[in-house]
Amino acid sequence: MSTRPGIPGVDIRVRHRGDPAALEVLAIREWAATLAALADDWLTARETYRAHQAEQAEAREHRAATELSRRQQ
């Protein structure tokens, strides 16, 4: 799918003024861009959360290993 470059300085809505179908497609395009940004933010937050969980698990394992070595002494 190819896209034609827009006219610099001209809002794409102006070019499609009076065409309800084009305006609806533009609205869907804006919604899709917003949804993509939300998905990106969610994925970034999920990655951060998973890294935090991994750090907590590693700390628990370290504490358990430390406690086990103390008991064996």
Side-chain angles (χ1 to χ4, degrees):
M1 176 171 72
S2 64
T3 58
R4 289 186 359 200
I7 301 170
V10 176
D11 186 354
I12 195 168
R13 287 186 209 117
V14 173
R15 290 188 357 227
H16 296 287
R17 185 178 35 214
D19 182 352
L23 294 176
E24 188 170 334
V25 168
L26 289 171
I28 292 168
R29 182 180 178 200
E30 288 178 18
W31 177 81
T34 300
L35 183 59
L38 286 171
D40 289 344
D41 290 346
W42 187 90
L43 289 168
T44 299
R46 178 73 173 170
E47 186 177 344
T48 301
Y49 175 69
R50 299 288 295 194
H52 181 68
Q53 281 183 319
E55 289 173 5
Q56 287 180 331
E58 188 176 333
R60 278 192 303 274
E61 290 172 6
H62 178 70
R63 284 191 300 271
T66 301
E67 182 64 28
L68 182 60
S69 70
R70 285 182 186 163
R71 289 182 184 179
Q72 291 176 350
Q73 289 179 358

Short mmCIF file of all heavy atoms in Angstrom, two decimals:
data_model
loop_
_atom_site.label_atom_id
_atom_site.label_comp_id
_atom_site.label_asym_id
_atom_site.label_seq_id
_atom_site.Cartn_x
_atom_site.Cartn_y
_atom_site.Cartn_z
N MET A 1 0.85 -1.17 0.00
CA MET A 1 0.00 0.00 0.00
C MET A 1 0.89 1.23 0.00
O MET A 1 1.76 1.38 0.84
CB MET A 1 -0.89 -0.04 1.24
CG MET A 1 -1.75 1.16 1.39
SD MET A 1 -2.99 1.01 2.69
CE MET A 1 -2.01 1.11 4.16
N SER A 2 0.67 2.10 -0.94
CA SER A 2 1.46 3.33 -1.00
C SER A 2 0.61 4.49 -0.53
O SER A 2 -0.60 4.48 -0.65
CB SER A 2 1.97 3.57 -2.42
OG SER A 2 0.87 3.79 -3.28
N THR A 3 1.28 5.47 0.00
CA THR A 3 0.58 6.66 0.46
C THR A 3 1.16 7.85 -0.27
O THR A 3 2.36 7.95 -0.48
CB THR A 3 0.73 6.86 1.98
OG1 THR A 3 2.11 6.95 2.28
CG2 THR A 3 0.11 5.70 2.73
N ARG A 4 0.28 8.73 -0.66
CA ARG A 4 0.73 9.95 -1.31
C ARG A 4 1.12 10.94 -0.24
O ARG A 4 0.45 11.07 0.78
CB ARG A 4 -0.38 10.56 -2.16
CG ARG A 4 -0.67 9.76 -3.38
CD ARG A 4 -1.65 10.41 -4.30
NE ARG A 4 -2.18 11.68 -3.83
CZ ARG A 4 -3.30 12.20 -4.28
NH1 ARG A 4 -4.00 11.57 -5.17
NH2 ARG A 4 -3.72 13.36 -3.83
N PRO A 5 2.22 11.63 -0.47
CA PRO A 5 2.61 12.64 0.52
C PRO A 5 1.60 13.77 0.54
O PRO A 5 1.00 14.12 -0.48
CB PRO A 5 3.98 13.11 0.04
CG PRO A 5 4.02 12.76 -1.41
CD PRO A 5 3.12 11.56 -1.60
N GLY A 6 1.38 14.30 1.73
CA GLY A 6 0.46 15.41 1.86
C GLY A 6 1.08 16.71 1.39
O GLY A 6 2.29 16.80 1.14
N ILE A 7 0.25 17.68 1.24
CA ILE A 7 0.73 19.00 0.87
C ILE A 7 1.25 19.66 2.14
O ILE A 7 0.51 19.77 3.12
CB ILE A 7 -0.40 19.85 0.24
CG1 ILE A 7 -0.94 19.14 -1.00
CG2 ILE A 7 0.09 21.25 -0.09
CD1 ILE A 7 -2.21 19.77 -1.55
N PRO A 8 2.51 20.07 2.15
CA PRO A 8 3.06 20.68 3.36
C PRO A 8 2.22 21.88 3.80
O PRO A 8 1.87 22.75 3.00
CB PRO A 8 4.46 21.12 2.95
CG PRO A 8 4.79 20.30 1.75
CD PRO A 8 3.48 20.02 1.06
N GLY A 9 1.90 21.89 5.09
CA GLY A 9 1.15 23.01 5.66
C GLY A 9 -0.35 22.93 5.47
O GLY A 9 -1.07 23.82 5.90
N VAL A 10 -0.85 21.90 4.78
CA VAL A 10 -2.29 21.77 4.56
C VAL A 10 -2.80 20.57 5.34
O VAL A 10 -2.31 19.45 5.16
CB VAL A 10 -2.62 21.60 3.05
CG1 VAL A 10 -4.11 21.38 2.86
CG2 VAL A 10 -2.16 22.82 2.27
N ASP A 11 -3.76 20.81 6.21
CA ASP A 11 -4.35 19.74 7.00
C ASP A 11 -5.08 18.78 6.05
O ASP A 11 -5.81 19.20 5.15
CB ASP A 11 -5.32 20.34 8.01
CG ASP A 11 -5.88 19.31 8.99
OD1 ASP A 11 -5.61 18.11 8.82
OD2 ASP A 11 -6.59 19.73 9.92
N ILE A 12 -4.88 17.49 6.28
CA ILE A 12 -5.50 16.49 5.42
C ILE A 12 -7.02 16.58 5.46
O ILE A 12 -7.70 16.27 4.48
CB ILE A 12 -5.00 15.07 5.80
CG1 ILE A 12 -5.32 14.08 4.70
CG2 ILE A 12 -5.56 14.63 7.12
CD1 ILE A 12 -4.61 12.75 4.86
N ARG A 13 -7.57 17.05 6.57
CA ARG A 13 -9.03 17.21 6.67
C ARG A 13 -9.54 18.27 5.71
O ARG A 13 -10.65 18.17 5.19
CB ARG A 13 -9.43 17.56 8.09
CG ARG A 13 -9.32 16.40 9.03
CD ARG A 13 -9.85 16.75 10.41
NE ARG A 13 -9.15 15.95 11.36
CZ ARG A 13 -8.36 16.43 12.32
NH1 ARG A 13 -8.22 17.71 12.47
NH2 ARG A 13 -7.75 15.63 13.13
N VAL A 14 -8.72 19.29 5.47
CA VAL A 14 -9.11 20.35 4.55
C VAL A 14 -9.22 19.80 3.14
O VAL A 14 -10.14 20.13 2.40
CB VAL A 14 -8.10 21.53 4.62
CG1 VAL A 14 -8.40 22.56 3.54
CG2 VAL A 14 -8.13 22.16 6.00
N ARG A 15 -8.29 18.94 2.77
CA ARG A 15 -8.31 18.35 1.43
C ARG A 15 -9.54 17.49 1.22
O ARG A 15 -10.01 17.34 0.09
CB ARG A 15 -7.06 17.52 1.19
CG ARG A 15 -5.82 18.35 1.07
CD ARG A 15 -4.58 17.59 0.64
NE ARG A 15 -4.69 16.17 0.46
CZ ARG A 15 -3.83 15.28 0.94
NH1 ARG A 15 -2.80 15.69 1.67
NH2 ARG A 15 -3.98 14.01 0.71
N HIS A 16 -10.07 16.90 2.30
CA HIS A 16 -11.21 15.99 2.17
C HIS A 16 -12.50 16.60 2.73
O HIS A 16 -13.47 15.88 2.95
CB HIS A 16 -10.90 14.67 2.89
CG HIS A 16 -9.77 13.93 2.26
ND1 HIS A 16 -9.89 13.29 1.06
CD2 HIS A 16 -8.49 13.76 2.65
CE1 HIS A 16 -8.74 12.73 0.73
NE2 HIS A 16 -7.87 13.00 1.69
N ARG A 17 -12.51 17.90 2.89
CA ARG A 17 -13.70 18.58 3.40
C ARG A 17 -14.88 18.31 2.46
O ARG A 17 -14.73 18.35 1.25
CB ARG A 17 -13.43 20.08 3.51
CG ARG A 17 -14.55 20.86 4.13
CD ARG A 17 -14.23 22.32 4.26
NE ARG A 17 -13.42 22.80 3.14
CZ ARG A 17 -12.50 23.74 3.24
NH1 ARG A 17 -12.28 24.32 4.39
NH2 ARG A 17 -11.82 24.12 2.19
N GLY A 18 -16.00 17.99 3.05
CA GLY A 18 -17.21 17.74 2.25
C GLY A 18 -17.35 16.28 1.82
O GLY A 18 -18.34 15.94 1.18
N ASP A 19 -16.40 15.45 2.14
CA ASP A 19 -16.47 14.02 1.78
C ASP A 19 -16.65 13.23 3.07
O ASP A 19 -15.68 12.92 3.77
CB ASP A 19 -15.19 13.61 1.06
CG ASP A 19 -15.21 12.16 0.60
OD1 ASP A 19 -16.16 11.42 0.97
OD2 ASP A 19 -14.28 11.75 -0.12
N PRO A 20 -17.90 12.90 3.42
CA PRO A 20 -18.17 12.22 4.69
C PRO A 20 -17.42 10.90 4.84
O PRO A 20 -16.94 10.58 5.94
CB PRO A 20 -19.68 11.99 4.70
CG PRO A 20 -20.23 12.90 3.67
CD PRO A 20 -19.14 13.15 2.68
N ALA A 21 -17.31 10.12 3.78
CA ALA A 21 -16.61 8.83 3.88
C ALA A 21 -15.14 9.06 4.19
O ALA A 21 -14.56 8.36 5.04
CB ALA A 21 -16.76 8.05 2.58
N ALA A 22 -14.52 10.03 3.54
CA ALA A 22 -13.10 10.31 3.80
C ALA A 22 -12.90 10.82 5.22
O ALA A 22 -11.94 10.44 5.89
CB ALA A 22 -12.57 11.33 2.79
N LEU A 23 -13.81 11.66 5.69
CA LEU A 23 -13.71 12.17 7.05
C LEU A 23 -13.88 11.04 8.07
O LEU A 23 -13.20 11.02 9.11
CB LEU A 23 -14.73 13.28 7.29
CG LEU A 23 -14.50 14.55 6.48
CD1 LEU A 23 -15.63 15.55 6.73
CD2 LEU A 23 -13.16 15.17 6.82
N GLU A 24 -14.74 10.08 7.77
CA GLU A 24 -14.91 8.95 8.66
C GLU A 24 -13.64 8.10 8.70
O GLU A 24 -13.19 7.66 9.76
CB GLU A 24 -16.09 8.09 8.22
CG GLU A 24 -16.45 7.02 9.21
CD GLU A 24 -17.75 6.32 8.87
OE1 GLU A 24 -18.61 6.91 8.22
OE2 GLU A 24 -17.89 5.17 9.30
N VAL A 25 -13.04 7.89 7.53
CA VAL A 25 -11.80 7.13 7.47
C VAL A 25 -10.69 7.87 8.23
O VAL A 25 -9.89 7.26 8.94
CB VAL A 25 -11.38 6.85 6.01
CG1 VAL A 25 -9.96 6.32 5.93
CG2 VAL A 25 -12.36 5.88 5.37
N LEU A 26 -10.65 9.18 8.11
CA LEU A 26 -9.65 9.96 8.86
C LEU A 26 -9.87 9.84 10.36
O LEU A 26 -8.91 9.76 11.13
CB LEU A 26 -9.69 11.43 8.42
CG LEU A 26 -9.14 11.70 7.02
CD1 LEU A 26 -9.44 13.14 6.60
CD2 LEU A 26 -7.65 11.42 6.96
N ALA A 27 -11.13 9.83 10.78
CA ALA A 27 -11.42 9.66 12.21
C ALA A 27 -10.96 8.28 12.68
O ALA A 27 -10.36 8.15 13.76
CB ALA A 27 -12.91 9.84 12.47
N ILE A 28 -11.20 7.26 11.87
CA ILE A 28 -10.74 5.91 12.22
C ILE A 28 -9.23 5.88 12.28
O ILE A 28 -8.63 5.27 13.16
CB ILE A 28 -11.28 4.88 11.21
CG1 ILE A 28 -12.80 4.76 11.37
CG2 ILE A 28 -10.59 3.53 11.38
CD1 ILE A 28 -13.47 3.99 10.25
N ARG A 29 -8.58 6.57 11.35
CA ARG A 29 -7.11 6.64 11.32
C ARG A 29 -6.58 7.27 12.61
O ARG A 29 -5.61 6.79 13.20
CB ARG A 29 -6.68 7.44 10.11
CG ARG A 29 -5.21 7.55 9.92
CD ARG A 29 -4.94 8.37 8.68
NE ARG A 29 -3.51 8.54 8.48
CZ ARG A 29 -2.99 9.48 7.75
NH1 ARG A 29 -3.75 10.33 7.12
NH2 ARG A 29 -1.69 9.58 7.63
N GLU A 30 -7.20 8.36 13.05
CA GLU A 30 -6.79 9.01 14.30
C GLU A 30 -7.01 8.08 15.49
O GLU A 30 -6.16 8.00 16.38
CB GLU A 30 -7.55 10.31 14.49
CG GLU A 30 -7.13 11.42 13.55
CD GLU A 30 -7.95 12.68 13.74
OE1 GLU A 30 -8.60 12.83 14.80
OE2 GLU A 30 -7.94 13.52 12.83
N TRP A 31 -8.14 7.39 15.49
CA TRP A 31 -8.44 6.45 16.58
C TRP A 31 -7.40 5.33 16.60
O TRP A 31 -6.93 4.93 17.66
CB TRP A 31 -9.85 5.90 16.40
CG TRP A 31 -10.21 4.88 17.42
CD1 TRP A 31 -10.63 5.11 18.70
CD2 TRP A 31 -10.14 3.46 17.28
NE1 TRP A 31 -10.84 3.91 19.35
CE2 TRP A 31 -10.55 2.88 18.49
CE3 TRP A 31 -9.78 2.62 16.23
CZ2 TRP A 31 -10.61 1.51 18.69
CZ3 TRP A 31 -9.84 1.25 16.43
CH2 TRP A 31 -10.24 0.72 17.64
N ALA A 32 -7.05 4.84 15.42
CA ALA A 32 -6.06 3.76 15.34
C ALA A 32 -4.70 4.23 15.84
O ALA A 32 -3.98 3.49 16.51
CB ALA A 32 -5.96 3.25 13.90
N ALA A 33 -4.33 5.46 15.52
CA ALA A 33 -3.05 6.01 16.00
C ALA A 33 -3.07 6.13 17.53
O ALA A 33 -2.08 5.80 18.20
CB ALA A 33 -2.78 7.36 15.36
N THR A 34 -4.19 6.56 18.08
CA THR A 34 -4.33 6.66 19.53
C THR A 34 -4.25 5.28 20.17
O THR A 34 -3.56 5.08 21.18
CB THR A 34 -5.67 7.33 19.90
OG1 THR A 34 -5.69 8.64 19.34
CG2 THR A 34 -5.85 7.43 21.40
N LEU A 35 -4.93 4.32 19.57
CA LEU A 35 -4.90 2.96 20.08
C LEU A 35 -3.49 2.38 20.01
O LEU A 35 -3.04 1.72 20.96
CB LEU A 35 -5.87 2.08 19.29
CG LEU A 35 -6.02 0.65 19.76
CD1 LEU A 35 -6.49 0.58 21.21
CD2 LEU A 35 -6.98 -0.10 18.85
N ALA A 36 -2.77 2.64 18.93
CA ALA A 36 -1.39 2.15 18.80
C ALA A 36 -0.50 2.76 19.89
O ALA A 36 0.33 2.06 20.48
CB ALA A 36 -0.84 2.48 17.42
N ALA A 37 -0.68 4.04 20.17
CA ALA A 37 0.10 4.69 21.22
C ALA A 37 -0.22 4.08 22.58
O ALA A 37 0.69 3.86 23.40
CB ALA A 37 -0.16 6.20 21.23
N LEU A 38 -1.50 3.81 22.84
CA LEU A 38 -1.88 3.17 24.10
C LEU A 38 -1.27 1.78 24.22
O LEU A 38 -0.79 1.38 25.29
CB LEU A 38 -3.41 3.08 24.21
CG LEU A 38 -4.14 4.38 24.49
CD1 LEU A 38 -5.65 4.16 24.35
CD2 LEU A 38 -3.82 4.88 25.88
N ALA A 39 -1.30 1.04 23.13
CA ALA A 39 -0.71 -0.31 23.14
C ALA A 39 0.79 -0.23 23.40
O ALA A 39 1.34 -1.03 24.17
CB ALA A 39 -0.98 -1.01 21.81
N ASP A 40 1.47 0.72 22.78
CA ASP A 40 2.91 0.89 23.02
C ASP A 40 3.18 1.21 24.49
O ASP A 40 4.10 0.64 25.10
CB ASP A 40 3.48 2.00 22.14
CG ASP A 40 3.56 1.60 20.67
OD1 ASP A 40 3.47 0.40 20.36
OD2 ASP A 40 3.73 2.52 19.84
N ASP A 41 2.39 2.11 25.06
CA ASP A 41 2.55 2.46 26.47
C ASP A 41 2.30 1.25 27.37
O ASP A 41 3.02 1.02 28.34
CB ASP A 41 1.61 3.61 26.86
CG ASP A 41 1.99 4.93 26.23
OD1 ASP A 41 3.12 5.05 25.71
OD2 ASP A 41 1.15 5.85 26.25
N TRP A 42 1.26 0.48 27.05
CA TRP A 42 0.94 -0.70 27.85
C TRP A 42 2.08 -1.70 27.78
O TRP A 42 2.47 -2.26 28.81
CB TRP A 42 -0.36 -1.33 27.36
CG TRP A 42 -0.82 -2.44 28.24
CD1 TRP A 42 -1.64 -2.34 29.33
CD2 TRP A 42 -0.46 -3.84 28.14
NE1 TRP A 42 -1.82 -3.59 29.90
CE2 TRP A 42 -1.10 -4.53 29.18
CE3 TRP A 42 0.33 -4.56 27.27
CZ2 TRP A 42 -0.98 -5.88 29.38
CZ3 TRP A 42 0.46 -5.92 27.46
CH2 TRP A 42 -0.19 -6.58 28.50
N LEU A 43 2.60 -1.94 26.58
CA LEU A 43 3.69 -2.90 26.43
C LEU A 43 4.94 -2.45 27.17
O LEU A 43 5.63 -3.27 27.79
CB LEU A 43 3.99 -3.13 24.95
CG LEU A 43 2.91 -3.92 24.19
CD1 LEU A 43 3.17 -3.84 22.68
CD2 LEU A 43 2.86 -5.35 24.67
N THR A 44 5.23 -1.16 27.14
CA THR A 44 6.38 -0.63 27.87
C THR A 44 6.20 -0.83 29.37
O THR A 44 7.11 -1.28 30.08
CB THR A 44 6.59 0.85 27.55
OG1 THR A 44 6.83 0.98 26.14
CG2 THR A 44 7.75 1.44 28.32
N ALA A 45 5.00 -0.52 29.86
CA ALA A 45 4.71 -0.70 31.29
C ALA A 45 4.77 -2.17 31.67
O ALA A 45 5.29 -2.53 32.73
CB ALA A 45 3.34 -0.12 31.63
N ARG A 46 4.29 -3.04 30.80
CA ARG A 46 4.31 -4.48 31.07
C ARG A 46 5.75 -4.97 31.15
O ARG A 46 6.09 -5.77 32.03
CB ARG A 46 3.56 -5.21 29.96
CG ARG A 46 3.55 -6.70 30.08
CD ARG A 46 2.64 -7.14 31.17
NE ARG A 46 2.54 -8.60 31.14
CZ ARG A 46 1.98 -9.31 32.08
NH1 ARG A 46 1.42 -8.71 33.11
NH2 ARG A 46 1.94 -10.60 32.00
N GLU A 47 6.59 -4.50 30.26
CA GLU A 47 8.00 -4.89 30.27
C GLU A 47 8.67 -4.44 31.57
O GLU A 47 9.41 -5.20 32.20
CB GLU A 47 8.71 -4.27 29.07
CG GLU A 47 10.13 -4.70 28.89
CD GLU A 47 10.76 -4.11 27.64
OE1 GLU A 47 10.04 -3.61 26.76
OE2 GLU A 47 11.99 -4.14 27.57
N THR A 48 8.38 -3.23 32.00
CA THR A 48 8.94 -2.71 33.26
C THR A 48 8.44 -3.54 34.44
O THR A 48 9.22 -3.89 35.34
CB THR A 48 8.55 -1.23 33.43
OG1 THR A 48 9.04 -0.49 32.32
CG2 THR A 48 9.10 -0.65 34.72
N TYR A 49 7.16 -3.86 34.44
CA TYR A 49 6.56 -4.65 35.51
C TYR A 49 7.20 -6.04 35.58
O TYR A 49 7.53 -6.53 36.65
CB TYR A 49 5.05 -4.75 35.29
CG TYR A 49 4.33 -5.65 36.26
CD1 TYR A 49 4.20 -5.29 37.61
CD2 TYR A 49 3.78 -6.85 35.84
CE1 TYR A 49 3.54 -6.11 38.50
CE2 TYR A 49 3.11 -7.68 36.73
CZ TYR A 49 3.00 -7.31 38.05
OH TYR A 49 2.34 -8.12 38.93
N ARG A 50 7.37 -6.67 34.41
CA ARG A 50 7.97 -8.01 34.38
C ARG A 50 9.42 -7.98 34.86
O ARG A 50 9.86 -8.89 35.55
CB ARG A 50 7.89 -8.60 32.96
CG ARG A 50 6.47 -8.78 32.43
CD ARG A 50 5.76 -9.87 33.09
NE ARG A 50 6.44 -11.12 32.76
CZ ARG A 50 5.96 -12.31 32.94
NH1 ARG A 50 4.77 -12.44 33.48
NH2 ARG A 50 6.64 -13.39 32.63
N ALA A 51 10.14 -6.93 34.51
CA ALA A 51 11.53 -6.80 34.98
C ALA A 51 11.54 -6.65 36.51
O ALA A 51 12.38 -7.24 37.19
CB ALA A 51 12.21 -5.61 34.32
N HIS A 52 10.60 -5.88 37.04
CA HIS A 52 10.50 -5.70 38.48
C HIS A 52 10.17 -7.03 39.17
O HIS A 52 10.75 -7.37 40.21
CB HIS A 52 9.44 -4.65 38.81
CG HIS A 52 9.27 -4.39 40.27
ND1 HIS A 52 10.24 -3.78 41.04
CD2 HIS A 52 8.25 -4.66 41.11
CE1 HIS A 52 9.81 -3.70 42.29
NE2 HIS A 52 8.61 -4.22 42.36
N GLN A 53 9.26 -7.79 38.57
CA GLN A 53 8.92 -9.11 39.12
C GLN A 53 10.15 -10.02 39.14
O GLN A 53 10.36 -10.76 40.11
CB GLN A 53 7.82 -9.77 38.29
CG GLN A 53 6.44 -9.26 38.57
CD GLN A 53 5.41 -10.03 37.76
OE1 GLN A 53 5.62 -10.34 36.59
NE2 GLN A 53 4.28 -10.34 38.39
N ALA A 54 10.93 -9.98 38.07
CA ALA A 54 12.13 -10.83 37.99
C ALA A 54 13.12 -10.42 39.07
O ALA A 54 13.75 -11.28 39.70
CB ALA A 54 12.76 -10.72 36.61
N GLU A 55 13.27 -9.12 39.31
CA GLU A 55 14.17 -8.64 40.36
C GLU A 55 13.69 -9.12 41.73
O GLU A 55 14.51 -9.54 42.57
CB GLU A 55 14.26 -7.12 40.35
CG GLU A 55 15.02 -6.56 39.17
CD GLU A 55 14.94 -5.04 39.10
OE1 GLU A 55 14.38 -4.41 40.04
OE2 GLU A 55 15.44 -4.49 38.11
N GLN A 56 12.39 -9.07 41.96
CA GLN A 56 11.84 -9.53 43.24
C GLN A 56 12.06 -11.03 43.42
O GLN A 56 12.41 -11.48 44.52
CB GLN A 56 10.35 -9.21 43.34
CG GLN A 56 10.07 -7.74 43.55
CD GLN A 56 8.57 -7.47 43.64
OE1 GLN A 56 7.76 -8.18 43.06
NE2 GLN A 56 8.21 -6.45 44.40
N ALA A 57 11.87 -11.80 42.36
CA ALA A 57 12.09 -13.24 42.45
C ALA A 57 13.55 -13.54 42.74
O ALA A 57 13.87 -14.42 43.55
CB ALA A 57 11.65 -13.92 41.15
N GLU A 58 14.44 -12.81 42.09
CA GLU A 58 15.87 -13.01 42.33
C GLU A 58 16.23 -12.67 43.78
O GLU A 58 17.01 -13.38 44.42
CB GLU A 58 16.68 -12.14 41.37
CG GLU A 58 18.16 -12.39 41.41
CD GLU A 58 18.92 -11.58 40.37
OE1 GLU A 58 18.34 -11.23 39.33
OE2 GLU A 58 20.10 -11.30 40.63
N ALA A 59 15.64 -11.61 44.30
CA ALA A 59 15.90 -11.23 45.70
C ALA A 59 15.38 -12.30 46.65
O ALA A 59 16.04 -12.64 47.64
CB ALA A 59 15.26 -9.88 46.00
N ARG A 60 14.19 -12.86 46.37
CA ARG A 60 13.65 -13.94 47.21
C ARG A 60 14.57 -15.15 47.19
O ARG A 60 14.83 -15.76 48.23
CB ARG A 60 12.24 -14.34 46.73
CG ARG A 60 11.13 -13.46 47.23
CD ARG A 60 9.77 -14.08 46.96
NE ARG A 60 9.53 -14.37 45.56
CZ ARG A 60 9.05 -13.52 44.66
NH1 ARG A 60 8.75 -12.29 45.04
NH2 ARG A 60 8.85 -13.90 43.42
N GLU A 61 15.05 -15.50 46.00
CA GLU A 61 15.95 -16.66 45.88
C GLU A 61 17.25 -16.41 46.66
O GLU A 61 17.76 -17.31 47.32
CB GLU A 61 16.27 -16.94 44.42
CG GLU A 61 15.09 -17.49 43.65
CD GLU A 61 15.36 -17.57 42.16
OE1 GLU A 61 16.51 -17.31 41.73
OE2 GLU A 61 14.42 -17.89 41.42
N HIS A 62 17.74 -15.19 46.57
CA HIS A 62 18.97 -14.85 47.30
C HIS A 62 18.75 -14.95 48.81
O HIS A 62 19.58 -15.51 49.54
CB HIS A 62 19.45 -13.45 46.92
CG HIS A 62 20.67 -13.01 47.65
ND1 HIS A 62 21.91 -13.56 47.42
CD2 HIS A 62 20.85 -12.09 48.64
CE1 HIS A 62 22.79 -12.99 48.22
NE2 HIS A 62 22.17 -12.09 48.97
N ARG A 63 17.61 -14.41 49.29
CA ARG A 63 17.31 -14.50 50.72
C ARG A 63 17.16 -15.95 51.17
O ARG A 63 17.64 -16.35 52.23
CB ARG A 63 16.04 -13.71 51.05
CG ARG A 63 16.23 -12.21 51.08
CD ARG A 63 15.03 -11.49 51.67
NE ARG A 63 13.79 -11.73 50.95
CZ ARG A 63 13.36 -11.00 49.92
NH1 ARG A 63 14.09 -9.98 49.49
NH2 ARG A 63 12.22 -11.27 49.33
N ALA A 64 16.50 -16.77 50.33
CA ALA A 64 16.33 -18.18 50.67
C ALA A 64 17.67 -18.89 50.71
O ALA A 64 17.93 -19.70 51.63
CB ALA A 64 15.40 -18.86 49.67
N ALA A 65 18.55 -18.62 49.77
CA ALA A 65 19.88 -19.24 49.75
C ALA A 65 20.70 -18.80 50.95
O ALA A 65 21.41 -19.60 51.57
CB ALA A 65 20.60 -18.90 48.45
N THR A 66 20.59 -17.52 51.31
CA THR A 66 21.31 -17.00 52.48
C THR A 66 20.82 -17.67 53.75
O THR A 66 21.61 -18.09 54.60
CB THR A 66 21.15 -15.47 52.57
OG1 THR A 66 21.64 -14.88 51.37
CG2 THR A 66 21.89 -14.90 53.76
N GLU A 67 19.50 -17.79 53.87
CA GLU A 67 18.91 -18.43 55.06
C GLU A 67 19.33 -19.89 55.13
O GLU A 67 19.66 -20.40 56.20
CB GLU A 67 17.39 -18.30 55.01
CG GLU A 67 16.68 -18.88 56.22
CD GLU A 67 17.00 -18.17 57.51
OE1 GLU A 67 17.32 -16.96 57.47
OE2 GLU A 67 16.95 -18.82 58.57
N LEU A 68 19.34 -20.59 54.01
CA LEU A 68 19.73 -22.00 53.98
C LEU A 68 21.19 -22.16 54.39
O LEU A 68 21.52 -23.05 55.19
CB LEU A 68 19.52 -22.56 52.59
CG LEU A 68 19.84 -24.05 52.41
CD1 LEU A 68 18.96 -24.90 53.33
CD2 LEU A 68 19.66 -24.45 50.97
N SER A 69 22.06 -21.28 53.89
CA SER A 69 23.48 -21.39 54.26
C SER A 69 23.70 -21.09 55.74
O SER A 69 24.56 -21.68 56.38
CB SER A 69 24.34 -20.48 53.39
OG SER A 69 24.13 -19.13 53.69
N ARG A 70 22.90 -20.18 56.31
CA ARG A 70 23.01 -19.89 57.75
C ARG A 70 22.60 -21.09 58.58
O ARG A 70 23.19 -21.38 59.61
CB ARG A 70 22.14 -18.69 58.11
CG ARG A 70 22.70 -17.38 57.66
CD ARG A 70 21.80 -16.24 58.10
NE ARG A 70 22.28 -14.98 57.54
CZ ARG A 70 21.56 -13.88 57.46
NH1 ARG A 70 20.32 -13.88 57.90
NH2 ARG A 70 22.07 -12.79 56.96
N ARG A 71 21.55 -21.78 58.15
CA ARG A 71 21.06 -22.95 58.89
C ARG A 71 22.06 -24.11 58.81
O ARG A 71 22.11 -24.92 59.73
CB ARG A 71 19.71 -23.40 58.34
CG ARG A 71 18.61 -22.45 58.67
CD ARG A 71 17.29 -22.97 58.15
NE ARG A 71 16.24 -21.99 58.39
CZ ARG A 71 14.98 -22.16 58.02
NH1 ARG A 71 14.63 -23.26 57.40
NH2 ARG A 71 14.10 -21.24 58.29
N GLN A 72 22.80 -24.18 57.73
CA GLN A 72 23.74 -25.29 57.56
C GLN A 72 25.02 -25.08 58.36
O GLN A 72 25.78 -26.00 58.54
CB GLN A 72 24.06 -25.50 56.09
CG GLN A 72 22.88 -26.04 55.30
CD GLN A 72 23.17 -26.15 53.82
OE1 GLN A 72 24.17 -25.66 53.33
NE2 GLN A 72 22.28 -26.80 53.11
N GLN A 73 25.25 -23.88 58.81
CA GLN A 73 26.50 -23.60 59.55
C GLN A 73 26.43 -24.03 60.95
O GLN A 73 25.76 -24.16 61.78
CB GLN A 73 26.84 -22.11 59.47
CG GLN A 73 27.28 -21.70 58.11
CD GLN A 73 27.59 -20.20 58.05
OE1 GLN A 73 27.43 -19.47 59.02
NE2 GLN A 73 28.02 -19.75 56.90
#
